[in-house]
Amino acid sequence: ASDLLLPPGGKKIIQEKHELRYQGIADTYDLQLRKKSGDLIWVRVSGAPVMDASGKVIGSIGVHTDITLQKAADEELRRRFDMIFAMQRLSTVLAQSVHLNRRLETVLDTVLEVIKFEGGAVYTFDDSGRELILQHQRGISGALLENVRRWPVGSGVTGKVAQTGIPQFVEDAEFNIDVNQSLRAMDSLHAIGYVPLVSKEKVLGVMTVFLRRPHRFSESEQMMLQSFGKQIGIALENAKLFETASEREQQVRRLSIELVKVQEDERKRFARELHDGLSQVLTTLKINTELAAKNFLSDTAEAERHLKEALNLADEAQTEAKRLAYDLRPAILDDFGLKAAIAVLASSFERRTGIAVEFISPIPDVRFDSLLETSVYRIVQELLTHVAKHAVASQISIQLLLREDTLVLEVADNGRGLELGKAAAVSAGGTHFGLRNIRERVEFFGGSFRTESVEGRGTEVMIELPIGQLMLPRQRQAAGG
């Protein structure tokens, strides 16, 4: 057609094919033509020689077929195949280890190899969620690298993608006002793609890829990169879940070991108290009873004295047995609940040590899960013991509060407090004052534990425990939960 223009080198191709036909050779080839309007079309040319009766080539004939739609379909099929193959490769890499941080470097290499880009980087959020931390990179020069190891969320294109979850594809960063030009110039970056790492509509990080020349990101490249972002995001989420499960498993294992230790220590203490207390009383009771029986007929007055002593020892043995039983499991905790049990514990501690204890608990008469009540009671018991042994305090305040679905315990003393370094160690989970066991009890219920201490001014321990599922149903309704 007269409105079709040949591509560069097109005339040479047609001439070569024409010469082949005059040699008696048929041929078929595809040629891309440009219309005067600028549109591109594909034409398939099928040519054959024309011969006379003697077999001499006297001309040629050609059939031109518009195959533009077929070419587009073939290209779409190839693009989809490439994307599926690339996603399979990435999936294979991601599946090689549940510890994704060990694989992110290989993941980035795979992405860059598939899309044929020069370099890139993978960022994830820090613990605060306010900054992105560079995990792995490829191709970034040393000068630029030192300036992009951390990136504020919401700042620049990278920070905005992390904040919004919307990918950005920049054809030439040199002319983009959102790109930091001083940083860009350090490495002569031009084409940059910013892709959020997403799982369940939650942004977990950002992946960037770049070229040091301008480049228009095709629709297929954009789709492929966004698919990669979702794959990596899901893998990041699964890795975090695995890490959390592993940490919980280790925590349960530590708690189990600590529980065995605590049980053994309790058994030793109970055996010692039985031997030094109740056993000694019973032995003396037995001796007095035997002496009373021996003197029953020969010396009535002496026998009566031994019997009275035996009665006093029996009362003492009964009191000691009740005390031991209460230490093992205070009946008031089962009968009247946590609030009443702590009140009795505080009163008993005050009488025994001479340290004034103020117990404040405006919560209603609600009951919690038995394990939770026992754990909180033991926590208070252990905190009081530690104050008596170490704090040199004259006053203790205990507050038990209920804030929505959270049980709050605050225990404060006016003792000598902790030095700054030791206080930090306690809050970080150190072993000072044996508070590590208390922390692990709290974390078992998914609660929080912290301390505040000033040397010479005392220490305050604050514990919060979620109790939405650990309050008895009828009591939850009474408490307004």
Side-chain angles (χ1 to χ4, degrees):
S2 61
D3 66 335
L4 295 178
L5 302 175
L6 289 172
K11 288 184 179 181
K12 182 179 180 181
I13 294 173
I14 294 173
Q15 182 63 35
E16 289 174 351
K17 299 297 182 182
H18 187 70
E19 291 175 357
L20 286 174
R21 293 174 201 163
Y22 270 91
Q23 296 174 20
I25 301 172
D27 62 81
T28 299
Y29 62 94
D30 297 340
L31 192 64
Q32 189 178 46
L33 304 176
R34 182 184 297 274
K35 291 184 177 182
K36 289 182 179 180
S37 63
D39 296 335
L40 296 174
I41 67 169
W42 280 94
V43 174
R44 177 158 294 164
V45 182
S46 298
V50 177
M51 301 178 183
D52 60 14
S54 65
K56 180 182 178 181
V57 177
I58 60 175
S60 67
I61 186 171
V63 178
H64 297 71
T65 306
D66 187 342
I67 59 168
T68 304
L69 294 179
Q70 180 184 335
K71 280 286 188 179
D74 290 344
E75 177 63 23
E76 176 65 15
L77 185 61
R78 185 195 64 77
R79 184 184 65 79
R80 289 183 179 273
F81 175 80
D82 289 345
M83 180 178 292
I84 292 172
F85 178 71
M87 293 180 68
Q88 286 177 335
R89 283 191 59 191
L90 186 60
S91 297
T92 301
V93 173
L94 291 171
Q96 288 177 359
S97 174
V98 292
H99 303 286
L100 187 59
N101 281 337
R102 303 175 187 173
R103 308 301 308 170
L104 279 178
E105 197 167 8
T106 307
V107 167
L108 181 58
D109 288 340
T110 303
V111 171
L112 294 175
E113 182 183 348
V114 167
I115 65 172
K116 311 301 181 186
F117 269 51
E118 296 177 49
V122 176
Y123 289 89
T124 59
F125 291 100
D126 67 357
D127 292 337
S128 71
R130 293 191 291 270
E131 278 194 315
L132 293 167
I133 306 297
L134 180 65
Q135 298 295 342
H136 293 289
Q137 63 83 24
R138 277 289 182 268
I140 301 178
S141 69
L144 177 60
L145 184 59
E146 291 306 311
N147 289 275
V148 296
R149 293 191 181 277
R150 303 182 74 91
W151 198 272
V153 173
S155 173
V157 184
T158 305
K160 288 178 181 177
V161 171
Q163 189 175 56
T164 65
I166 301 173
Q168 298 290 329
F169 299 97
V170 179
E171 182 175 342
D172 193 343
E174 185 176 359
F175 302 102
N176 189 296
I177 60 174
D178 293 324
V179 175
N180 186 311
Q181 293 300 318
S182 62
L183 293 178
R184 185 207 65 79
M186 288 181 182
D187 211 357
S188 301
L189 304 184
H190 285 275
I192 309 175
Y194 306 83
V195 182
L197 308 179
V198 182
S199 177
K200 300 177 183 177
E201 300 183 355
K202 180 182 178 182
V203 180
L204 301 175
V206 175
M207 178 176 64
T208 65
V209 295
F210 63 80
L211 289 169
R212 292 183 175 87
R213 57 179 172 79
H215 171 78
R216 181 180 176 275
F217 286 84
S218 67
E219 182 180 349
S220 62
E221 286 175 330
Q222 293 185 30
M223 290 179 61
M224 190 179 296
L225 284 168
Q226 290 180 70
S227 297
F228 289 164
K230 290 178 181 178
Q231 278 186 286
I232 299 170
I234 292 171
L236 279 171
E237 181 73 13
N238 291 339
K240 287 185 177 181
L241 291 174
F242 177 81
E243 184 178 342
T244 300
S246 298
E247 290 176 353
R248 182 55 59 91
E249 181 182 357
Q250 291 176 3
Q251 183 184 28
V252 170
R253 189 179 295 114
R254 287 198 309 271
L255 285 172
S256 299
I257 295 172
E258 290 296 330
L259 179 60
V260 172
K261 290 180 180 179
V262 169
Q263 288 174 336
E264 287 302 313
D265 289 343
E266 282 296 303
R267 289 189 179 101
K268 290 178 182 177
R269 182 187 66 82
F270 188 64
R272 185 170 57 252
E273 291 195 8
L274 277 176
H275 179 270
D276 295 343
L278 186 60
S279 179
Q280 296 293 338
V281 173
L282 291 175
T283 299
T284 307
L285 173 61
K286 179 176 179 293
I287 293 172
N288 275 276
T289 304
E290 289 174 345
L291 289 173
K294 181 180 179 180
N295 294 303
F296 186 73
L297 296 175
S298 60
D299 191 341
T300 305
E302 185 66 12
E304 182 180 0
R305 185 177 69 80
H306 286 301
L307 283 174
K308 287 181 178 179
E309 181 66 24
L311 286 173
N312 290 333
L313 290 168
D315 289 338
E316 186 177 340
Q318 184 181 43
T319 300
E320 181 68 9
K322 286 181 178 180
R323 186 188 68 80
L324 290 172
Y326 187 87
D327 285 346
L328 285 173
R329 175 71 184 181
I332 191 173
L333 189 60
D334 294 321
D335 297 337
F336 298 100
L338 181 61
K339 181 178 176 179
I342 292 178
V344 172
L345 176 64
S347 178
S348 173
F349 177 85
E350 187 176 68
R351 288 195 307 271
R352 188 172 70 256
T353 64
I355 300 174
V357 181
E358 179 185 30
F359 176 51
I360 302 172
S361 182
I363 66 174
D365 292 328
V366 294
R367 296 302 304 271
F368 306 99
D369 175 82
S370 176
L371 179 60
L372 178 70
E373 289 189 339
T374 302
S375 295
V376 174
Y377 179 85
R378 294 303 183 195
I379 287 172
V380 175
Q381 193 175 43
E382 191 164 353
L383 286 172
L384 290 177
T385 300
H386 285 313
V387 170
K389 287 183 177 179
H390 305 287
V392 193
S394 60
Q395 293 180 341
I396 299 175
S397 170
I398 303 173
Q399 292 192 67
L400 188 67
L401 312 171
L402 190 59
R403 297 172 184 163
E404 296 181 350
D405 283 345
T406 302
L407 185 66
V408 180
L409 174 67
E410 297 181 1
V411 179
D413 66 71
N414 67 343
R416 59 187 177 187
L418 301 174
E419 298 174 9
L420 183 60
K422 292 180 179 179
V426 169
S427 292
T431 58
H432 187 70
F433 283 178
L435 295 181
R436 181 168 57 88
N437 290 340
I438 295 178
R439 175 182 290 277
E440 290 181 346
R441 284 181 187 266
V442 172
E443 290 178 350
F444 177 81
F445 290 99
S448 64
F449 171 94
R450 58 192 175 93
T451 62
E452 291 183 3
S453 184
V454 177
E455 188 174 4
R457 295 187 180 181
T459 301
E460 182 177 9
V461 176
M462 289 148 286
I463 293 169
E464 294 185 353
L465 298 169
I467 45 84
Q469 301 302 318
L470 296 172
M471 190 186 297
L472 300 185
R474 65 181 185 277
Q475 301 296 349
R476 190 183 302 119
Q477 184 177 3

